[in-house]
Amino acid sequence: MDRNTIVGLVLIGLILSVFTIFNQPTAEELKEKQRLEQEKAKAESKNEADSTIAANDKTTKVEEPSSEPKVVEDTTETMVAKPTVEVTSEIIRLENNKLIIDFDTKGGKIASVRLKEYETYYNYAEKKDKHVPLQLFAEGDASNGLVFKTGGKQINTNEVVFKVDKKTSKSIQFSYSPSSGKSVVFEYTLPKDNYNISYDVSLKGMKTDIQNKNIKLEWNTSFKKTERLFSEQRRISTICFQNEKDGFDYLSEMSDDEETAEDNINWVAYKQSYFSSILKPKTAFRSGSSKMEVVTYKEGEKKNNTHLKDFNSVLALDMQASDDATMNFNWFFGPNDYEVLKSYGEGYDDILNYGWGLFRWINVYAVQPLFNFLLEMGLAIGIAILLLTMILKLVLMPIQWKMYVSSAKMKILKPEIEELTAKYPDKADAMKKQTEMMGLYRESGASPLAGCLPMLIQMPILLAVFRFFPTAFELRQKSFLWADDLSSYDSIWDFGTYIWPYGDHVSLFTLLMAGTTLIYTATNSGQMQTPQQPGMPNMKVIMYIFPIMMIFFFNNYASGLSYYYFISTLFSILIMLAIKKFFVDEAKLKAKMQAKKATVTSKGPKPKSKFQERLEAMQKAQQEKMKKK
């Protein structure tokens, strides 16, 4: 690298270092935050383990009389305070072999959801004999209700108490009457073996209100922390949705975001790292009035250390105007497992971030099916990743062969290229030097681009896998060797404090990955050419810096990804050594190149290509310009 490049990199590094030092928390703050998180995690784990009661009573204040909702008059009218009395709202539970769902009679809403087959990382890591179902959200974290105007009043059903009309082992029906002759009915039905729950909304005697198209569903959720690396779980949490015409879309994962629907919406998904809640209406939510927003917590907020983000939606219902109108929904609460999501046939699997375009196709149609096949054979997860890596490397072996042969040819030509560089040291002769180099490549059958094309062919696979492993649900809470959870980082040493920019732990798979990458770079460094023009970056230096940077970048990544890259690079080294020792003889290759060069020379010069003609024309124009100067 030239002086200007080095100075620029040093300045950027200094700016980032100073910024981080002045903005990072103190050691005392970090210790206190870590202590609070541990205490909260233990308390949550204890509360979940003790939460085996099917129904609880709780007291809520609502306005008198209890049959009337809390109403907000139009802004042109004066609000009159009403006396309050204590009434009882009830928690009622339904469950099947996959879900435990608690309903609150206040709002007739879903208050809490637990997944029986899964548990949080903290319960998993403690390795208790008792399995504690994973809780997506608890009472007070979620609400779903209708917002509409009737009789000049704004009604929000989340703020009123419903009565239970009927309940069976798999269904429950709530009702509420906003005024005489009008009623709102919510009915939930939980199938036996499903992550779905049916949600049916009926409006009776409200034909005029429906005609005004002012019926909206308000849905709010705050997901709880469930994974080891809280920052990563929060980072990839967002709202996804499927437009009726324009297809899949999503809000920002990195910051607060909101959107008003410009197209009808087929479904809305509140998505976090490994679990989601997806609401699908039978008739699409209407555009123009439907809004969605995702809100991140600020430092010091109550939920900042326990919950991911706030997901809020106000969705306009497209109901047929009648005195007995019904709107049907399917509500999914379950894992972000590709096979599970795909089985619904609604495009739910689009929420999985497998990359875009070509990268997603590779993951969906090649990597995922192959990985599933290996797991279905009953193999351990680590062995399945090993075999997947071997298969991908064997598929790419012809490409690696081409790359090695090309680099070997360039290595053979290196002395002659250096002679040309010494022969034409001046910038004015750059075009002449380039012309002779092109002739040298043509005569010997070598090409500097021959090694680039195979690399470009295999890059999509490498980048696709980079998105696959952090997303693959199959890695969650699966152990291998010293890694207790391949979906999170593997730590062999916890520092107990954060060290910038490395982190608070040592990931062994990341060190192994960086080490094999460094060895691979060293074995190929002899074939890398030094920059021929002043100011050009030295690729040797860059290639040696890259493995060092990987230690910092990948320390918090999923250990399954680091393990894959470690195995992949190790196989690349072995394949390259095998090609060099058993398949490609550099002495024979050199003789073959010299023979081809002699044959081309004896036949006389070939007709110049159009590219070479243009190159020579540019060279002559440059020489004329230099003469005039």
Side-chain angles (χ1 to χ4, degrees):
M1 289 184 282
D2 65 342
R3 184 180 62 184
N4 292 335
T5 304
I6 294 172
V7 171
L9 290 173
V10 170
L11 287 176
I12 291 172
L14 287 173
I15 292 171
L16 291 174
S17 300
V18 172
F19 179 82
T20 305
I21 290 170
F22 278 97
N23 286 275
Q24 67 179 350
T26 64
E28 290 76 13
E29 290 174 335
L30 285 170
K31 287 180 180 178
E32 178 64 16
K33 184 176 179 181
Q34 191 175 43
R35 183 185 66 79
L36 290 174
E37 288 185 358
Q38 289 174 350
E39 289 179 357
K40 287 180 179 179
K42 289 180 180 178
E44 289 172 6
S45 174
K46 184 178 184 300
N47 290 337
E48 290 179 6
D50 295 339
S51 182
T52 56
I53 302 174
N56 299 302
D57 288 336
K58 63 179 184 179
T59 301
T60 312
K61 285 191 176 182
V62 299
E63 294 178 354
E64 175 72 18
S66 60
S67 61
E68 289 294 322
K70 178 182 178 181
V71 297
V72 180
E73 303 289 351
D74 292 339
T75 55
T76 57
E77 300 179 11
T78 304
M79 297 181 64
V80 180
K82 298 181 180 180
T84 60
V85 296
E86 291 188 350
V87 297
T88 301
S89 66
E90 187 181 2
I91 296 297
I92 303 171
R93 176 168 294 181
L94 291 180
E95 61 181 288
N96 61 12
N97 58 347
K98 293 186 180 294
L99 299 174
I100 301 173
I101 301 182
D102 290 337
F103 300 89
D104 193 343
T105 54
K106 183 183 178 182
K109 62 192 175 187
I110 295 178
S112 170
V113 171
R114 290 178 174 85
L115 300 174
K116 285 187 172 182
E117 300 169 307
Y118 308 102
E119 56 185 346
T120 66
Y121 173 80
Y122 301 98
N123 294 121
Y124 164 77
E126 288 180 4
K127 303 188 186 305
K128 292 182 177 179
D129 294 334
K130 186 176 181 180
H131 176 85
V132 180
L134 180 145
Q135 189 171 39
L136 280 182
F137 52 86
E139 295 172 37
D141 293 337
S143 64
N144 60 279
L146 297 186
V147 179
F148 57 91
K149 279 187 177 181
T150 182
K153 297 177 180 180
Q154 182 81 10
I155 305 294
N156 187 335
T157 62
N158 282 309
E159 299 169 346
V160 301
V161 176
F162 282 64
K163 68 176 182 178
V164 180
D165 290 335
K166 61 180 180 179
K167 180 186 180 300
T168 68
S169 60
K170 66 176 183 178
S171 67
I172 187 169
Q173 185 182 91
F174 300 98
S175 67
Y176 160 73
S177 179
S179 62
S180 178
K182 297 183 179 182
S183 64
V184 178
V185 179
F186 293 165
E187 184 171 2
Y188 301 90
T189 305
L190 185 61
K192 181 179 179 181
D193 188 14
N194 210 306
Y195 293 108
N196 258 16
I197 181 170
S198 298
Y199 174 39
D200 299 327
V201 175
S202 299
L203 303 180
K204 302 182 186 298
M206 297 177 62
K207 182 177 180 180
T208 303
D209 301 311
I210 297 172
Q211 283 176 335
N212 295 332
K213 295 192 178 297
N214 66 351
I215 312 295
K216 296 179 181 178
L217 175 68
E218 187 178 274
W219 176 29
N220 307 305
T221 300
S222 299
F223 283 130
K224 297 182 68 174
K225 173 185 177 181
T226 60
E227 308 305 315
R228 182 181 193 180
L229 191 57
F230 190 21
S231 59
E232 179 67 11
Q233 187 183 12
R234 174 177 283 169
R235 185 185 66 81
I236 60 179
S237 299
T238 189
I239 297 178
C240 304
F241 53 96
Q242 187 188 74
N243 293 304
E244 200 170 51
K245 296 178 181 178
D246 298 332
F248 178 76
D249 202 354
Y250 58 94
L251 301 185
S252 172
E253 295 178 340
M254 306 301 294
S255 61
D256 292 359
D257 196 11
E258 62 179 19
E259 183 165 332
T260 300
E262 298 179 357
D263 187 6
N264 291 343
I265 299 175
N266 290 329
W267 50 258
V268 177
Y270 291 176
K271 172 234 173 190
Q272 51 144 304
S273 53
Y274 290 111
F275 301 94
S276 291
S277 175
I278 307 175
L279 182 62
K280 184 186 186 307
K282 187 174 182 180
T283 305
F285 298 120
R286 290 190 294 108
S287 61
S289 301
S290 295
K291 298 179 181 179
M292 297 156 288
E293 69 168 353
V294 58
V295 181
T296 56
Y297 302 116
K298 304 296 187 293
E299 192 68 33
E301 288 190 46
K302 185 177 179 181
K303 291 184 177 180
N304 188 44
N305 294 323
T306 58
H307 292 70
L308 302 178
K309 297 176 182 178
D310 277 345
F311 303 90
N312 306 311
S313 297
V314 178
L315 305 166
L317 305 185
D318 189 11
M319 302 184 75
Q320 296 298 317
S322 72
D323 284 327
D324 190 7
T326 301
M327 187 78 170
N328 308 110
F329 304 87
N330 276 318
W331 217 330
F332 171 88
F333 297 101
N336 293 341
D337 186 315
Y338 175 77
E339 295 299 327
V340 172
L341 295 174
K342 186 181 177 183
S343 67
Y344 286 89
E346 301 291 350
Y348 292 170
D349 54 291
D350 286 339
I351 69 174
L352 300 178
N353 189 2
Y354 279 160
W356 54 271
L358 178 61
F359 308 123
R360 183 175 185 84
W361 298 341
I362 292 171
N363 280 326
V364 169
Y365 298 112
V367 180
Q368 181 75 63
L370 180 57
F371 194 48
N372 287 344
F373 171 75
L374 294 172
L375 292 177
E376 287 169 2
M377 293 174 62
L379 299 173
I381 190 75
I383 303 301
I385 295 175
L386 175 65
L387 292 178
L388 175 68
T389 309
M390 291 178 63
I391 293 169
L392 292 177
K393 296 306 293 184
L394 289 174
V395 170
L396 295 174
M397 187 173 179
I399 296 175
Q400 191 166 358
W401 181 303
K402 286 284 186 183
M403 290 177 60
Y404 180 80
V405 171
S406 174
S407 63
K409 287 182 178 180
M410 294 303 297
K411 182 180 178 182
I412 293 169
L413 290 179
K414 187 177 180 182
E416 296 182 58
I417 293 172
E418 290 176 348
E419 287 179 9
L420 287 175
T421 303
K423 183 179 178 181
Y424 300 105
D426 298 331
K427 290 185 178 180
D429 298 325
M431 296 299 293
K432 187 179 291 185
K433 181 179 69 174
Q434 191 65 31
T435 302
E436 291 197 26
M437 279 188 180
M438 294 294 291
L440 178 63
Y441 294 146
R442 186 177 66 256
E443 291 171 358
S444 60
S447 171
L449 299 178
C452 298
L453 184 59
M455 176 61 74
L456 291 175
I457 293 173
Q458 69 174 347
M459 278 303 291
I461 296 178
L462 297 176
L463 294 175
V465 172
F466 179 78
R467 289 304 328 154
F468 175 77
F469 282 108
T471 305
F473 187 83
E474 293 83 356
L475 269 64
R476 185 179 185 270
Q477 295 183 2
K478 295 296 189 298
S479 61
F480 180 66
L481 299 178
W482 56 85
D484 62 344
D485 184 356
L486 287 173
S487 69
S488 182
Y489 60 84
D490 59 306
S491 176
I492 59 169
W493 182 19
D494 292 323
F495 301 146
T497 184
Y498 183 83
I499 301 176
W500 185 89
Y502 186 60
D504 60 359
H505 64 274
V506 176
S507 173
L508 182 54
F509 274 131
T510 300
L511 294 179
L512 292 173
M513 175 187 64
T516 51
T517 304
L518 194 63
I519 294 171
Y520 184 77
T521 301
T523 56
N524 286 279
S525 61
Q527 299 173 12
M528 297 179 192
Q529 296 187 35
T530 55
Q532 298 170 7
Q533 299 293 336
M536 293 292 288
N538 191 330
M539 289 305 297
K540 286 186 179 181
V541 176
I542 293 176
M543 293 303 290
Y544 275 112
I545 291 175
F546 180 67
I548 307 301
M549 295 172 66
M550 291 171 71
I551 296 176
F552 300 94
F553 291 156
F554 282 81
N555 196 50
N556 274 344
Y557 271 68
S559 53
L561 178 66
S562 301
Y563 168 58
Y564 166 80
Y565 278 131
F566 161 58
I567 296 297
S568 179
T569 309
L570 185 61
F571 273 121
S572 294
I573 295 171
L574 296 176
I575 289 172
M576 186 186 66
L577 293 175
I579 290 173
K580 182 177 181 180
K581 185 171 181 64
F582 300 108
F583 300 103
V584 177
D585 189 327
E586 291 189 11
K588 291 182 179 179
L589 183 62
K590 182 176 182 179
K592 186 177 180 181
M593 290 172 63
Q594 290 175 343
K596 183 173 182 178
K597 184 177 179 181
T599 303
V600 171
T601 305
S602 64
K603 289 182 179 179
K606 284 185 176 181
K608 296 178 181 178
S609 65
K610 291 183 179 181
F611 175 75
Q612 190 173 1
E613 289 175 354
R614 287 196 296 268
L615 195 63
E616 290 182 357
M618 289 171 62
Q619 179 185 358
K620 289 179 180 178
Q622 186 182 29
Q623 289 175 347
E624 290 296 328
K625 190 183 291 186
M626 294 297 293
K627 287 180 181 179
K628 289 179 181 179
K629 287 184 180 181

